[in-house]
Amino acid sequence: MALLVLKFGGTSVADLDRIRNVAQHVKREVEAGNACAVVVSAMAGETNRLVALTREAAPLHDAREYDAVVSSGEQVTSGLLAITLQSMGIPARSWLGWQVPFRTDGAHGAARITEIPAAEIRARLLDRGEVAVVAGFQGIGPDNRITTLGRGGSDTSAVALAAAIGADRCDIYTDVDGVYTTDPRIVPKARRLEAISYEEMLEMASQGAKVLQTRSVELAMVRGVRVLVRSSFEAPDTLPAAGREEGRVPGTLVCGEDEIVEQQVVSGIAYAKDEAKVTLLGVADKPGVAARVFGPLAEANINVDMIVQNVTPDGKHTDMTFTVQTSDLERAMKVIEGARSDIGDFDLRGSTDVVKVSVIGIGMRSHAGVAARMFQALADKGINIEAISTSEIKISILIDAAYTELAVRTLHSLYGLDAD
Ligand code: ASP
Ligand code: MG
């Protein structure tokens, strides 16, 4: 018998038919003797609708009341799934965030979980065999008011609950059947990964492969929760229950490195289109200039990602390029203009026609030459690299957005990721 947390996102509980389908997945696990806590999101689109209502009521509003409103979508789906399970003869009850309880800090709208005293829920799961249907996304703050965990937060609810009850696995059901080596929409030869390490998943997630909320992966890594990303759209009765998989686990397991048997040098290629490039041409090349550029950006809470600085032939001036989120570009340009008197003379350019392509893999730690091969392959295709940044397990390059597909495809086959 396994103790499981199953999480279903908005598209998986979009209407009563989909909720019945979810109940079938739960039934399969229960009938195999597994104890299940099920975490649900609101019906697809519901949270957006609720957020819009709060804004319409008053553009500036009390964050505590925002949470009271937007958390309600999960109350509905947890109750509906409990009713559906009961009607199938499966003992179940709903648990709202405050009932579990998910204790959080007081940062309404983006609260962090501080503690989950889950003894009661665990006992009921194990002793009574009662399915716990838990409203995701919700918590209770120090002031006893309802909090929410930030958009996409029910992934984090599920992982945190799995850690608190000591679950064997946290199955995240979504509308894709796992994590792919890259976006299958641009590379049809992309493959589903059997397993990926937490660290790689974090890079994939923050690089634009939007499968799991980043915070949930960080939490899974810290608490050692094994997470299986899988599809709720596969027919529930065609899949093996946990413990009966015998080799064929349907989905991608996000786990510690030690559990990954066949480690590739590169596990995946990610790309992010929401990068924008800012260039300062001809700034003075002397101590303190970088601080005068990046200080004001930090103060304005603008995250800078890649940074490149060139030397110009006269040795006295330099060109400085950095990237920010596209949504921050206008603000970043204003901040730099505002600091002009401190920075000195320069020409300022901004562009959104760039994309960041990243090659990710923990195997890079022990293999030299990954970057060199990457640069050569791109050069052979005539793709110019405008900026580079690296970490221990990732190499990112900035290129003209027009070459996104060509670059991703080229790198995908270069590192042997293409499906046969
Ligand atoms: N319903 C919430 C949202 O849409 C939480 C979630 O889906 O994870 O952000
Ligand atoms: Mg989600």
Side-chain angles (χ1 to χ4, degrees), residues 255-335:
C255 58
E257 284 176 39
D258 45 322
E259 220 184 307
I260 300 175
V261 196
E262 253 179 80
Q263 189 59 61
Q264 308 288 323
V265 177
V266 170
S267 300
I269 317 286
Y271 65 95
K273 288 193 165 163
D274 54 355
E275 296 267 323
K277 175 178 78 164
V278 179
T279 304
L280 283 75
L281 291 163
V283 272
D285 194 6
K286 59 177 193 215
V289 171
R292 274 174 242 147
V293 171
F294 296 109
L297 290 168
E299 268 160 43
N301 246 324
I302 296 173
N303 259 325
V304 172
D305 182 14
M306 310 170 103
I307 302 175
V308 196
Q309 183 175 320
N310 309 317
V311 186
T312 31
D314 67 4
K316 293 185 186 123
H317 293 89
T318 176
D319 296 342
M320 207 180 259
T321 298
F322 59 88
T323 64
V324 295
Q325 292 270 300
T326 301
S327 55
D328 282 337
L329 177 62
E330 230 183 276
R331 247 169 12 100
M333 301 281 281
K334 281 206 186 107
V335 168

Side-chain angles (χ1 to χ4, degrees), residues 7 10 41-42 47 74 137 150-155:
K7 184 258 167 179
S41 295
T47 310
E74 275 74 8
F137 188 47
R151 297 308 306 273
S154 51
D155 290 342

Side-chain angles (χ1 to χ4, degrees), residues 124-359:
R124 281 190 179 232
L125 285 168
L126 296 174
D127 305 343
R128 292 201 201 172
E130 180 187 73
V131 175
V133 187
V134 177
F137 188 47
Q138 310 179 345
I140 180 152
D143 55 357
N144 248 5
R145 311 263 322 239
I146 292 174
T147 54
T148 60
L149 306 180
R151 297 308 306 273
S154 51
D155 290 342
T156 300
S157 307
V159 172
L161 184 65
I165 63 173
D168 296 293
R169 203 171 72 195
C170 179
D171 286 7
I172 307 257
Y173 287 81
T174 176
D175 47 10
V176 291
D177 66 352
V179 180
Y180 278 70
T181 48
T182 194
D183 184 348
R185 284 169 307 183
I186 59 174
V187 183
K189 285 182 173 175
R191 278 187 295 115
R192 178 169 60 79
L193 292 159
E194 297 275 312
I196 185 169
S197 70
Y198 297 118
E199 279 181 280
E200 289 168 322
M201 188 62 207
L202 274 176
E203 295 290 0
M204 296 286 268
S206 58
Q207 298 300 313
K210 298 178 185 69
V211 194
L212 294 179
Q213 197 203 30
T214 305
R215 248 167 75 194
S216 70
V217 185
E218 286 165 357
L219 186 64
M221 176 159 86
V222 171
R223 302 291 301 269
V225 176
R226 302 165 73 241
V227 174
L228 182 66
V229 178
R230 58 189 299 181
S231 168
S232 70
F233 286 78
E234 282 183 68
D237 53 352
T238 62
L239 297 170
R244 298 187 178 171
E245 282 130 346
E246 275 149 32
R248 191 203 162 244
V249 180
T252 300
L253 187 68
V254 188
C255 58
E257 284 176 39
D258 45 322
E259 220 184 307
I260 300 175
V261 196
E262 253 179 80
Q263 189 59 61
Q264 308 288 323
V265 177
V266 170
S267 300
I269 317 286
Y271 65 95
K273 288 193 165 163
D274 54 355
E275 296 267 323
K277 175 178 78 164
V278 179
T279 304
L280 283 75
L281 291 163
V283 272
D285 194 6
K286 59 177 193 215
V289 171
R292 274 174 242 147
V293 171
F294 296 109
L297 290 168
E299 268 160 43
N301 246 324
I302 296 173
N303 259 325
V304 172
D305 182 14
M306 310 170 103
I307 302 175
V308 196
Q309 183 175 320
N310 309 317
V311 186
T312 31
D314 67 4
K316 293 185 186 123
H317 293 89
T318 176
D319 296 342
M320 207 180 259
T321 298
F322 59 88
T323 64
V324 295
Q325 292 270 300
T326 301
S327 55
D328 282 337
L329 177 62
E330 230 183 276
R331 247 169 12 100
M333 301 281 281
K334 281 206 186 107
V335 168
I336 298 293
E337 278 301 349
R340 192 178 271 283
S341 55
D342 279 341
I343 303 170
D345 203 29
F346 60 88
D347 274 345
L348 186 62
R349 309 265 160 88
S351 156
T352 55
D353 287 337
V354 287
V355 66
K356 180 171 75 170
V357 177
S358 305
V359 166

